[in-house]
Amino acid sequence: MAGLIKTKPTPPRWLLAELTYACPLQCPYCSNPIDYTKYQTELDTEDWKRVLTQARKMGAVQLGFSGGEPLTRKDLTELVKHARDLGYYSNLITSGYGLTEEKIIQLKEAGLDHIQVSIQASSQELNDHIAGTASFEHKKQVAHLVKKHGYPMVLCVVIHRENIHQMPEILAMAEELGADYLELANTQYYGWAHANRDLLLPTQAQFEKAEAIAQAFKETVTGKMKIYYVVPDFYEDRPKACMNGWGTTFLTVAPDGVALPCHSARELPGLDCPNVKDYSIEEIWNESKAFNFFRGDDWMKEPCRSCDEKNKDFGGCHCQAYLLTGDMYNADPVCSKSPDHGVIQQAIDSAAKSALSANEKPLLFRNSKNSKLLS
Amino acid sequence: MTINPDQVINFSRTHRLQWEEAQQKNVILYPEGMVELNESSAEILKLCDGTRNLAQIVSDLEQKFSTSGLTNDITAFLEVALQNGWINQN
């Protein structure tokens, strides 16, 4: 096992509860695994309550109810209530699809702290195309209702080549809807987004223009709206500090109960990620092979091992190293020190070529049919 | 943004101040984020309950800790808190 550690790890602070892979939307950059249809079983209510209780006892305090679409779980309100009783700060990460005013009130009474609504674009036509579902007007109504009932509202817009030109309209929409926070999430290329990368990755010029517009807007809304900007790492020369360090802060539990050090880690080979039905959260966090795999720096190869920045970015993202170089022990190729850094430019060139091509292949939407086809 | 000395100070309704047993400290929780507080910051914020203005917060804390001359430190911290949206005067 790589990265065997001698000292007790820091306890988890963040629990991402992926309640289900079911979702009425079909976003082509979904972070769920491509082969999600293979994992049909879902934890039951008692399993989730036990997971919440055990993680809270270790020190987890931020809790994300996510999916898929978490609203498809009939026991969501009961789980929110349990989380509130335990002292979690609960975040509902939703498409807004199917969220009624009655449900918003019910969740508030159960103790939900915050609702994050995702919108795919600033126009109905593009939103409904990307989401694969007619949902734009309903999402806007939901955003208004979230505010009306006193929740802080985070509007999340995933940015890619199809909508990056709408940046001014996206910002105006966030202001009009009264968002307290706007998350501009440049697509991260894993799972479905990796499969669609040629169609989603913008050019550097597009990124720079959009970023400048967002930056100028930020100044005008100081004190009213906070902007979280998820950086497009393909255009950086140092990798992101993956998960704030593997197994230091974040714990994801997938719908079937598999515990993951990051929500993409299911794609990595040989981790043997443990299931919460077999082990307690404490055993999983402290003792499992998966959570110890990349702790510390014993696992590192060059150029990471001797790098003076290794404690800053921890070698970057292992899923990206695996997807782009075939070896998860390699440095994240986003890093300009990586011998594989050329694959990033190849990806950028390939996407640019695809954008100029007369017969670009269509987007691969995230749905069960495509999942089964690709598994 | 500066503190209006005449108006009472409220803790934000969209943030939560809470004691964390595992960390042995008070924290502010907000959408997808957390700020860890030292003891004095937590003591100040606990008094931002919509019943006190700046001078009353200072005098309550000076009394509680049997000291004086806290005005500048408390004002500086509250201005940071105001800018971060942890408190308001509406």
Side-chain angles (χ1 to χ4, degrees), chain A residues 23-62:
Chain A
C23 186
L25 269 57
Q26 307 181 40
C27 306
Y29 44 73
C30 181
S31 64
N32 288 161
I34 293 225
D35 58 358
Y36 73 90
T37 38
K38 279 204 303 209
Y39 314 108
Q40 294 286 358
T41 59
E42 285 188 6
L43 291 182
D44 65 24
T45 310
E46 291 314 308
D47 287 330
W48 277 117
K49 284 187 173 176
R50 186 181 68 248
V51 166
L52 264 47
T53 303
Q54 290 176 348
R56 178 70 185 134
K57 203 174 160 204
M58 287 190 76
V61 59
Q62 282 282 351

mmCIF file of all heavy atoms in Angstrom, chain A residues 23-62:
data_model
loop_
_atom_site.group_PDB
_atom_site.id
_atom_site.type_symbol
_atom_site.label_atom_id
_atom_site.label_comp_id
_atom_site.label_asym_id
_atom_site.label_seq_id
_atom_site.Cartn_x
_atom_site.Cartn_y
_atom_site.Cartn_z
ATOM 1 N N CYS A 23 -31.554 10.929 -11.703
ATOM 2 C CA CYS A 23 -31.635 12.362 -11.983
ATOM 3 C C CYS A 23 -32.490 12.592 -13.216
ATOM 4 O O CYS A 23 -32.330 11.897 -14.223
ATOM 5 C CB CYS A 23 -30.241 12.951 -12.203
ATOM 6 S SG CYS A 23 -30.266 14.753 -12.370
ATOM 7 N N PRO A 24 -33.397 13.560 -13.156
ATOM 8 C CA PRO A 24 -34.220 13.858 -14.337
ATOM 9 C C PRO A 24 -33.444 14.632 -15.405
ATOM 10 O O PRO A 24 -33.909 14.762 -16.527
ATOM 11 C CB PRO A 24 -35.355 14.713 -13.770
ATOM 12 C CG PRO A 24 -34.808 15.324 -12.526
ATOM 13 C CD PRO A 24 -33.769 14.383 -11.999
ATOM 14 N N LEU A 25 -32.262 15.168 -15.046
ATOM 15 C CA LEU A 25 -31.485 15.919 -16.025
ATOM 16 C C LEU A 25 -30.436 15.024 -16.695
ATOM 17 O O LEU A 25 -30.152 13.932 -16.211
ATOM 18 C CB LEU A 25 -30.798 17.111 -15.346
ATOM 19 C CG LEU A 25 -31.598 18.423 -15.356
ATOM 20 C CD1 LEU A 25 -32.962 18.234 -14.704
ATOM 21 C CD2 LEU A 25 -30.845 19.532 -14.656
ATOM 22 N N GLN A 26 -29.853 15.514 -17.776
ATOM 23 C CA GLN A 26 -28.900 14.695 -18.545
ATOM 24 C C GLN A 26 -27.632 15.461 -18.879
ATOM 25 O O GLN A 26 -27.047 15.285 -19.957
ATOM 26 C CB GLN A 26 -29.562 14.233 -19.848
ATOM 27 C CG GLN A 26 -30.894 13.535 -19.667
ATOM 28 C CD GLN A 26 -31.479 13.078 -20.996
ATOM 29 O OE1 GLN A 26 -30.758 12.601 -21.856
ATOM 30 N NE2 GLN A 26 -32.779 13.246 -21.160
ATOM 31 N N CYS A 27 -27.175 16.328 -17.970
ATOM 32 C CA CYS A 27 -26.043 17.211 -18.265
ATOM 33 C C CYS A 27 -24.824 16.420 -18.750
ATOM 34 O O CYS A 27 -24.396 15.470 -18.099
ATOM 35 C CB CYS A 27 -25.670 18.028 -17.034
ATOM 36 S SG CYS A 27 -27.078 18.913 -16.360
ATOM 37 N N PRO A 28 -24.238 16.845 -19.849
ATOM 38 C CA PRO A 28 -23.141 16.086 -20.457
ATOM 39 C C PRO A 28 -21.796 16.244 -19.744
ATOM 40 O O PRO A 28 -20.802 15.694 -20.193
ATOM 41 C CB PRO A 28 -23.074 16.652 -21.882
ATOM 42 C CG PRO A 28 -23.621 18.031 -21.773
ATOM 43 C CD PRO A 28 -24.652 17.989 -20.693
ATOM 44 N N TYR A 29 -21.789 16.999 -18.603
ATOM 45 C CA TYR A 29 -20.560 17.128 -17.800
ATOM 46 C C TYR A 29 -20.765 16.573 -16.396
ATOM 47 O O TYR A 29 -20.007 16.876 -15.482
ATOM 48 C CB TYR A 29 -20.106 18.596 -17.712
ATOM 49 C CG TYR A 29 -21.258 19.539 -17.431
ATOM 50 C CD1 TYR A 29 -21.848 19.597 -16.175
ATOM 51 C CD2 TYR A 29 -21.777 20.339 -18.447
ATOM 52 C CE1 TYR A 29 -22.920 20.425 -15.940
ATOM 53 C CE2 TYR A 29 -22.848 21.172 -18.213
ATOM 54 C CZ TYR A 29 -23.421 21.209 -16.953
ATOM 55 O OH TYR A 29 -24.494 22.013 -16.723
ATOM 56 N N CYS A 30 -21.807 15.771 -16.216
ATOM 57 C CA CYS A 30 -22.145 15.230 -14.892
ATOM 58 C C CYS A 30 -20.922 14.583 -14.240
ATOM 59 O O CYS A 30 -20.134 13.911 -14.894
ATOM 60 C CB CYS A 30 -23.256 14.192 -15.040
ATOM 61 S SG CYS A 30 -23.762 13.483 -13.464
ATOM 62 N N SER A 31 -20.791 14.804 -12.912
ATOM 63 C CA SER A 31 -19.633 14.255 -12.205
ATOM 64 C C SER A 31 -19.847 12.805 -11.754
ATOM 65 O O SER A 31 -18.934 12.182 -11.224
ATOM 66 C CB SER A 31 -19.297 15.130 -10.994
ATOM 67 O OG SER A 31 -20.368 15.085 -10.072
ATOM 68 N N ASN A 32 -21.042 12.286 -11.966
ATOM 69 C CA ASN A 32 -21.264 10.876 -11.619
ATOM 70 C C ASN A 32 -20.454 9.996 -12.570
ATOM 71 O O ASN A 32 -20.153 10.401 -13.696
ATOM 72 C CB ASN A 32 -22.745 10.501 -11.755
ATOM 73 C CG ASN A 32 -23.621 11.104 -10.665
ATOM 74 O OD1 ASN A 32 -24.831 11.199 -10.815
ATOM 75 N ND2 ASN A 32 -23.026 11.528 -9.568
ATOM 76 N N PRO A 33 -20.111 8.767 -12.124
ATOM 77 C CA PRO A 33 -19.327 7.896 -13.008
ATOM 78 C C PRO A 33 -20.105 7.545 -14.273
ATOM 79 O O PRO A 33 -21.336 7.458 -14.252
ATOM 80 C CB PRO A 33 -19.070 6.646 -12.155
ATOM 81 C CG PRO A 33 -19.950 6.749 -10.967
ATOM 82 C CD PRO A 33 -20.372 8.166 -10.816
ATOM 83 N N ILE A 34 -19.369 7.351 -15.364
ATOM 84 C CA ILE A 34 -20.001 6.983 -16.642
ATOM 85 C C ILE A 34 -20.808 5.697 -16.491
ATOM 86 O O ILE A 34 -21.888 5.562 -17.056
ATOM 87 C CB ILE A 34 -18.905 6.801 -17.716
ATOM 88 C CG1 ILE A 34 -18.262 8.150 -17.992
ATOM 89 C CG2 ILE A 34 -19.481 6.135 -18.962
ATOM 90 C CD1 ILE A 34 -18.040 8.512 -19.424
ATOM 91 N N ASP A 35 -20.278 4.769 -15.698
ATOM 92 C CA ASP A 35 -20.943 3.467 -15.557
ATOM 93 C C ASP A 35 -21.897 3.431 -14.352
ATOM 94 O O ASP A 35 -22.075 2.397 -13.728
ATOM 95 C CB ASP A 35 -19.900 2.350 -15.465
ATOM 96 C CG ASP A 35 -18.933 2.558 -14.302
ATOM 97 O OD1 ASP A 35 -19.053 3.586 -13.585
ATOM 98 O OD2 ASP A 35 -18.052 1.699 -14.110
ATOM 99 N N TYR A 36 -22.508 4.584 -14.031
ATOM 100 C CA TYR A 36 -23.341 4.657 -12.814
ATOM 101 C C TYR A 36 -24.484 3.646 -12.819
ATOM 102 O O TYR A 36 -24.956 3.246 -11.755
ATOM 103 C CB TYR A 36 -23.879 6.085 -12.609
ATOM 104 C CG TYR A 36 -24.980 6.507 -13.562
ATOM 105 C CD1 TYR A 36 -26.313 6.283 -13.236
ATOM 106 C CD2 TYR A 36 -24.698 7.134 -14.773
ATOM 107 C CE1 TYR A 36 -27.334 6.668 -14.109
ATOM 108 C CE2 TYR A 36 -25.696 7.512 -15.637
ATOM 109 C CZ TYR A 36 -27.012 7.270 -15.310
ATOM 110 O OH TYR A 36 -28.018 7.631 -16.171
ATOM 111 N N THR A 37 -24.929 3.225 -14.005
ATOM 112 C CA THR A 37 -26.050 2.262 -14.042
ATOM 113 C C THR A 37 -25.666 0.904 -13.448
ATOM 114 O O THR A 37 -26.527 0.102 -13.132
ATOM 115 C CB THR A 37 -26.554 2.059 -15.489
ATOM 116 O OG1 THR A 37 -25.433 2.058 -16.368
ATOM 117 C CG2 THR A 37 -27.521 3.146 -15.899
ATOM 118 N N LYS A 38 -24.345 0.672 -13.279
ATOM 119 C CA LYS A 38 -23.907 -0.596 -12.659
ATOM 120 C C LYS A 38 -24.225 -0.630 -11.165
ATOM 121 O O LYS A 38 -24.269 -1.690 -10.551
ATOM 122 C CB LYS A 38 -22.385 -0.755 -12.819
ATOM 123 C CG LYS A 38 -21.979 -1.268 -14.173
ATOM 124 C CD LYS A 38 -20.608 -1.960 -14.151
ATOM 125 C CE LYS A 38 -19.494 -1.090 -13.631
ATOM 126 N NZ LYS A 38 -18.175 -1.411 -14.183
ATOM 127 N N TYR A 39 -24.388 0.557 -10.579
ATOM 128 C CA TYR A 39 -24.595 0.632 -9.127
ATOM 129 C C TYR A 39 -26.049 0.969 -8.841
ATOM 130 O O TYR A 39 -26.414 2.125 -8.670
ATOM 131 C CB TYR A 39 -23.653 1.678 -8.515
ATOM 132 C CG TYR A 39 -22.233 1.563 -9.014
ATOM 133 C CD1 TYR A 39 -21.686 2.499 -9.885
ATOM 134 C CD2 TYR A 39 -21.436 0.470 -8.631
ATOM 135 C CE1 TYR A 39 -20.383 2.378 -10.367
ATOM 136 C CE2 TYR A 39 -20.136 0.332 -9.107
ATOM 137 C CZ TYR A 39 -19.623 1.297 -9.982
ATOM 138 O OH TYR A 39 -18.347 1.172 -10.454
ATOM 139 N N GLN A 40 -26.874 -0.054 -8.836
ATOM 140 C CA GLN A 40 -28.320 0.163 -8.732
ATOM 141 C C GLN A 40 -28.806 0.241 -7.287
ATOM 142 O O GLN A 40 -29.821 0.857 -7.009
ATOM 143 C CB GLN A 40 -29.072 -0.961 -9.461
ATOM 144 C CG GLN A 40 -28.859 -0.970 -10.970
ATOM 145 C CD GLN A 40 -29.591 0.147 -11.699
ATOM 146 O OE1 GLN A 40 -30.302 0.933 -11.089
ATOM 147 N NE2 GLN A 40 -29.405 0.228 -13.010
ATOM 148 N N THR A 41 -28.097 -0.405 -6.362
ATOM 149 C CA THR A 41 -28.610 -0.429 -4.985
ATOM 150 C C THR A 41 -28.364 0.914 -4.305
ATOM 151 O O THR A 41 -27.382 1.601 -4.579
ATOM 152 C CB THR A 41 -27.922 -1.522 -4.144
ATOM 153 O OG1 THR A 41 -26.519 -1.267 -4.140
ATOM 154 C CG2 THR A 41 -28.193 -2.900 -4.702
ATOM 155 N N GLU A 42 -29.294 1.293 -3.421
ATOM 156 C CA GLU A 42 -29.141 2.532 -2.654
ATOM 157 C C GLU A 42 -29.205 2.215 -1.168
ATOM 158 O O GLU A 42 -29.969 1.343 -0.747
ATOM 159 C CB GLU A 42 -30.269 3.514 -3.002
ATOM 160 C CG GLU A 42 -30.086 4.170 -4.354
ATOM 161 C CD GLU A 42 -31.107 5.280 -4.607
ATOM 162 O OE1 GLU A 42 -31.896 5.616 -3.685
ATOM 163 O OE2 GLU A 42 -31.120 5.805 -5.735
ATOM 164 N N LEU A 43 -28.427 2.936 -0.394
ATOM 165 C CA LEU A 43 -28.507 2.802 1.061
ATOM 166 C C LEU A 43 -29.923 3.129 1.514
ATOM 167 O O LEU A 43 -30.593 3.982 0.910
ATOM 168 C CB LEU A 43 -27.539 3.781 1.735
ATOM 169 C CG LEU A 43 -26.035 3.528 1.577
ATOM 170 C CD1 LEU A 43 -25.263 4.591 2.352
ATOM 171 C CD2 LEU A 43 -25.637 2.145 2.061
ATOM 172 N N ASP A 44 -30.380 2.505 2.575
ATOM 173 C CA ASP A 44 -31.702 2.859 3.102
ATOM 174 C C ASP A 44 -31.571 3.963 4.157
ATOM 175 O O ASP A 44 -30.462 4.405 4.483
ATOM 176 C CB ASP A 44 -32.447 1.614 3.613
ATOM 177 C CG ASP A 44 -31.751 0.972 4.805
ATOM 178 O OD1 ASP A 44 -30.996 1.666 5.522
ATOM 179 O OD2 ASP A 44 -31.974 -0.233 5.026
ATOM 180 N N THR A 45 -32.704 4.416 4.642
ATOM 181 C CA THR A 45 -32.733 5.557 5.571
ATOM 182 C C THR A 45 -31.863 5.307 6.808
ATOM 183 O O THR A 45 -31.110 6.190 7.238
ATOM 184 C CB THR A 45 -34.188 5.835 5.991
ATOM 185 O OG1 THR A 45 -34.994 5.908 4.812
ATOM 186 C CG2 THR A 45 -34.305 7.131 6.760
ATOM 187 N N GLU A 46 -31.971 4.114 7.362
ATOM 188 C CA GLU A 46 -31.214 3.818 8.590
ATOM 189 C C GLU A 46 -29.706 3.813 8.337
ATOM 190 O O GLU A 46 -28.925 4.258 9.186
ATOM 191 C CB GLU A 46 -31.669 2.482 9.205
ATOM 192 C CG GLU A 46 -33.085 2.507 9.779
ATOM 193 C CD GLU A 46 -33.360 3.748 10.648
ATOM 194 O OE1 GLU A 46 -32.560 4.025 11.574
ATOM 195 O OE2 GLU A 46 -34.359 4.456 10.383
ATOM 196 N N ASP A 47 -29.303 3.301 7.163
ATOM 197 C CA ASP A 47 -27.876 3.331 6.799
ATOM 198 C C ASP A 47 -27.377 4.776 6.777
ATOM 199 O O ASP A 47 -26.325 5.101 7.333
ATOM 200 C CB ASP A 47 -27.648 2.746 5.390
ATOM 201 C CG ASP A 47 -27.790 1.237 5.346
ATOM 202 O OD1 ASP A 47 -27.504 0.574 6.355
ATOM 203 O OD2 ASP A 47 -28.195 0.715 4.275
ATOM 204 N N TRP A 48 -28.131 5.654 6.109
ATOM 205 C CA TRP A 48 -27.701 7.059 5.997
ATOM 206 C C TRP A 48 -27.651 7.726 7.367
ATOM 207 O O TRP A 48 -26.726 8.487 7.650
ATOM 208 C CB TRP A 48 -28.617 7.845 5.048
ATOM 209 C CG TRP A 48 -28.243 7.678 3.608
ATOM 210 C CD1 TRP A 48 -28.990 7.115 2.613
ATOM 211 C CD2 TRP A 48 -27.005 8.072 2.977
ATOM 212 N NE1 TRP A 48 -28.301 7.128 1.425
ATOM 213 C CE2 TRP A 48 -27.089 7.715 1.605
ATOM 214 C CE3 TRP A 48 -25.835 8.691 3.432
ATOM 215 C CZ2 TRP A 48 -26.045 7.949 0.690
ATOM 216 C CZ3 TRP A 48 -24.803 8.929 2.525
ATOM 217 C CH2 TRP A 48 -24.909 8.563 1.188
ATOM 218 N N LYS A 49 -28.644 7.431 8.200
ATOM 219 C CA LYS A 49 -28.643 8.053 9.537
ATOM 220 C C LYS A 49 -27.400 7.626 10.322
ATOM 221 O O LYS A 49 -26.787 8.432 11.019
ATOM 222 C CB LYS A 49 -29.910 7.667 10.298
ATOM 223 C CG LYS A 49 -31.147 8.415 9.829
ATOM 224 C CD LYS A 49 -32.306 8.085 10.746
ATOM 225 C CE LYS A 49 -33.517 8.931 10.421
ATOM 226 N NZ LYS A 49 -34.669 8.539 11.261
ATOM 227 N N ARG A 50 -27.039 6.354 10.190
ATOM 228 C CA ARG A 50 -25.859 5.848 10.888
ATOM 229 C C ARG A 50 -24.588 6.540 10.354
ATOM 230 O O ARG A 50 -23.732 6.962 11.131
ATOM 231 C CB ARG A 50 -25.765 4.325 10.703
ATOM 232 C CG ARG A 50 -24.655 3.676 11.516
ATOM 233 C CD ARG A 50 -24.584 2.179 11.268
ATOM 234 N NE ARG A 50 -24.140 1.866 9.908
ATOM 235 C CZ ARG A 50 -24.893 1.309 8.965
ATOM 236 N NH1 ARG A 50 -26.154 0.977 9.220
ATOM 237 N NH2 ARG A 50 -24.399 1.064 7.764
ATOM 238 N N VAL A 51 -24.497 6.676 9.042
ATOM 239 C CA VAL A 51 -23.338 7.339 8.432
ATOM 240 C C VAL A 51 -23.227 8.780 8.939
ATOM 241 O O VAL A 51 -22.148 9.246 9.332
ATOM 242 C CB VAL A 51 -23.455 7.319 6.883
ATOM 243 C CG1 VAL A 51 -22.469 8.274 6.234
ATOM 244 C CG2 VAL A 51 -23.242 5.904 6.360
ATOM 245 N N LEU A 52 -24.362 9.488 8.939
ATOM 246 C CA LEU A 52 -24.369 10.878 9.409
ATOM 247 C C LEU A 52 -23.919 10.968 10.867
ATOM 248 O O LEU A 52 -23.105 11.819 11.227
ATOM 249 C CB LEU A 52 -25.777 11.470 9.244
ATOM 250 C CG LEU A 52 -26.081 12.303 7.990
ATOM 251 C CD1 LEU A 52 -25.609 11.657 6.714
ATOM 252 C CD2 LEU A 52 -27.559 12.633 7.888
ATOM 253 N N THR A 53 -24.450 10.091 11.677
ATOM 254 C CA THR A 53 -24.121 10.102 13.108
ATOM 255 C C THR A 53 -22.632 9.829 13.324
ATOM 256 O O THR A 53 -21.957 10.538 14.076
ATOM 257 C CB THR A 53 -24.959 9.039 13.853
ATOM 258 O OG1 THR A 53 -26.345 9.303 13.619
ATOM 259 C CG2 THR A 53 -24.684 9.061 15.352
ATOM 260 N N GLN A 54 -22.115 8.808 12.646
ATOM 261 C CA GLN A 54 -20.709 8.421 12.859
ATOM 262 C C GLN A 54 -19.745 9.497 12.349
ATOM 263 O O GLN A 54 -18.731 9.782 12.994
ATOM 264 C CB GLN A 54 -20.416 7.095 12.139
ATOM 265 C CG GLN A 54 -21.114 5.906 12.786
ATOM 266 C CD GLN A 54 -20.901 4.617 11.993
ATOM 267 O OE1 GLN A 54 -20.431 4.636 10.860
ATOM 268 N NE2 GLN A 54 -21.258 3.488 12.606
ATOM 269 N N ALA A 55 -20.051 10.096 11.200
ATOM 270 C CA ALA A 55 -19.154 11.117 10.642
ATOM 271 C C ALA A 55 -19.190 12.375 11.508
ATOM 272 O O ALA A 55 -18.167 13.024 11.727
ATOM 273 C CB ALA A 55 -19.532 11.446 9.207
ATOM 274 N N ARG A 56 -20.367 12.712 12.010
ATOM 275 C CA ARG A 56 -20.499 13.900 12.869
ATOM 276 C C ARG A 56 -19.686 13.727 14.145
ATOM 277 O O ARG A 56 -19.033 14.653 14.609
ATOM 278 C CB ARG A 56 -21.982 14.121 13.201
ATOM 279 C CG ARG A 56 -22.263 15.295 14.129
ATOM 280 C CD ARG A 56 -22.008 16.624 13.465
ATOM 281 N NE ARG A 56 -22.170 17.733 14.401
ATOM 282 C CZ ARG A 56 -21.317 18.745 14.518
ATOM 283 N NH1 ARG A 56 -20.259 18.816 13.744
ATOM 284 N NH2 ARG A 56 -21.529 19.710 15.391
ATOM 285 N N LYS A 57 -19.723 12.508 14.671
ATOM 286 C CA LYS A 57 -18.989 12.227 15.912
ATOM 287 C C LYS A 57 -17.485 12.436 15.707
ATOM 288 O O LYS A 57 -16.775 12.864 16.614
ATOM 289 C CB LYS A 57 -19.275 10.790 16.360
ATOM 290 C CG LYS A 57 -19.039 10.580 17.838
ATOM 291 C CD LYS A 57 -19.453 9.208 18.294
ATOM 292 C CE LYS A 57 -18.761 8.894 19.616
ATOM 293 N NZ LYS A 57 -18.649 7.455 19.827
ATOM 294 N N MET A 58 -17.004 12.140 14.494
ATOM 295 C CA MET A 58 -15.569 12.332 14.220
ATOM 296 C C MET A 58 -15.217 13.794 13.985
ATOM 297 O O MET A 58 -14.041 14.159 14.012
ATOM 298 C CB MET A 58 -15.173 11.540 12.972
ATOM 299 C CG MET A 58 -15.122 10.064 13.200
ATOM 300 S SD MET A 58 -14.379 9.252 11.758
ATOM 301 C CE MET A 58 -12.638 9.656 11.999
ATOM 302 N N GLY A 59 -16.230 14.632 13.685
ATOM 303 C CA GLY A 59 -15.943 16.064 13.495
ATOM 304 C C GLY A 59 -16.438 16.645 12.186
ATOM 305 O O GLY A 59 -16.211 17.817 11.914
ATOM 306 N N ALA A 60 -17.094 15.843 11.339
ATOM 307 C CA ALA A 60 -17.656 16.402 10.103
ATOM 308 C C ALA A 60 -18.727 17.416 10.475
ATOM 309 O O ALA A 60 -19.533 17.171 11.380
ATOM 310 C CB ALA A 60 -18.250 15.304 9.235
ATOM 311 N N VAL A 61 -18.740 18.565 9.804
ATOM 312 C CA VAL A 61 -19.712 19.614 10.158
ATOM 313 C C VAL A 61 -20.438 20.153 8.930
ATOM 314 O O VAL A 61 -21.609 20.502 9.004
ATOM 315 C CB VAL A 61 -19.037 20.722 11.003
ATOM 316 C CG1 VAL A 61 -17.882 21.372 10.254
ATOM 317 C CG2 VAL A 61 -20.038 21.779 11.439
ATOM 318 N N GLN A 62 -19.771 20.194 7.793
ATOM 319 C CA GLN A 62 -20.444 20.583 6.549
ATOM 320 C C GLN A 62 -20.973 19.318 5.888
ATOM 321 O O GLN A 62 -20.238 18.341 5.728
ATOM 322 C CB GLN A 62 -19.475 21.288 5.601
ATOM 323 C CG GLN A 62 -19.192 22.741 5.945
ATOM 324 C CD GLN A 62 -20.315 23.684 5.532
ATOM 325 O OE1 GLN A 62 -21.254 23.307 4.843
ATOM 326 N NE2 GLN A 62 -20.213 24.936 5.981
#
